[in-house]
Amino acid sequence: MLTVIDEYTRECLAIVVARRLRADDVLQALADLFVERSPPDHIRSDNGPEFAAKAVRGWLSRVGVKTLFIEPGSPWENGYNESFNGKLRDELLAGEIFCSLREAEVLIERWRRHYNTVRPHSSLGYRPPAPEVVLPRPAGPAYATLRHAQPGAPWHGSVLS
């Protein structure tokens, strides 16, 4: 599983669920996020082979993103992501048995959306990092539209694990 966290907002930008992750999977996830949010200044990650691969490092260099690798065996250097992964494990993974990869993808994505839009975060004054908002009702038929409060907001940093 690959998790991508914005260090500034604490928003979980993506969780990639797979039986095995390769450099191509990391590149695809990052490319999608860069298109949606623009490239960050830097990416902090562990030294896993999928992150340290020449293809990933070269691509990040070409798009102007600096890499910050944490020291092996030093999870405290990646505290935001370690904290997030602990919450994911405690609040979802430890209580579920997934019958298929697709089921895991759906339930994990549902949890990610809840984490970002509903779940209070003490570090953010007990507010979620990307709350859904109800937009003003337009003239005409009565309906409410939900969307993220900051679509396309700048990406201040990222943590991968």
Side-chain angles (χ1 to χ4, degrees):
M1 187 166 11
L2 168 71
T3 57
V4 183
I5 309 297
D6 185 320
E7 289 183 354
Y8 182 75
T9 66
R10 308 297 201 274
E11 182 181 4
C12 176
L13 303 176
I15 301 177
V16 179
V17 179
R19 296 187 194 285
R20 178 180 65 187
L21 287 170
R22 290 175 272 160
D24 290 344
D25 301 316
V26 172
L27 286 173
Q28 183 63 53
L30 293 178
D32 291 345
L33 286 170
F34 289 8
V35 167
E36 180 183 331
R37 297 194 173 238
S38 77
D41 293 335
H42 70 275
I43 290 182
R44 182 184 330 272
S45 69
D46 60 27
N47 290 293
E50 65 277 11
F51 304 124
K54 288 180 184 177
V56 173
R57 289 189 327 227
W59 183 77
L60 289 171
S61 176
R62 287 191 300 278
V63 296
V65 176
K66 299 176 188 89
T67 56
L68 302 169
F69 291 105
I70 65 169
E71 289 294 320
S74 302
W76 54 86
E77 291 182 11
N78 205 359
Y80 295 127
N81 195 262
E82 291 299 321
S83 175
F84 173 82
N85 287 343
K87 288 172 179 61
L88 174 60
R89 184 176 42 256
D90 294 345
E91 296 175 13
L92 178 69
L93 301 177
E96 290 288 337
I97 296 175
F98 303 110
C99 296
S100 69
L101 188 60
R102 181 67 185 140
E103 180 184 12
E105 289 171 339
V106 168
L107 292 177
I108 290 169
E109 177 60 17
R110 184 171 67 184
W111 182 88
R112 186 188 75 82
R113 288 179 187 270
H114 180 269
Y115 177 88
N116 286 337
T117 60
V118 177
R119 186 185 180 283
H121 297 244
S122 61
S123 64
L124 299 173
Y126 295 95
R127 287 183 243 161
E132 290 184 334
V133 297
V134 178
L135 298 176
R137 191 178 293 177
Y143 67 90
T145 304
L146 296 178
R147 69 175 180 86
H148 290 294
Q150 300 174 343
W155 185 6
H156 298 282
S158 174
V159 179
L160 300 173
S161 175

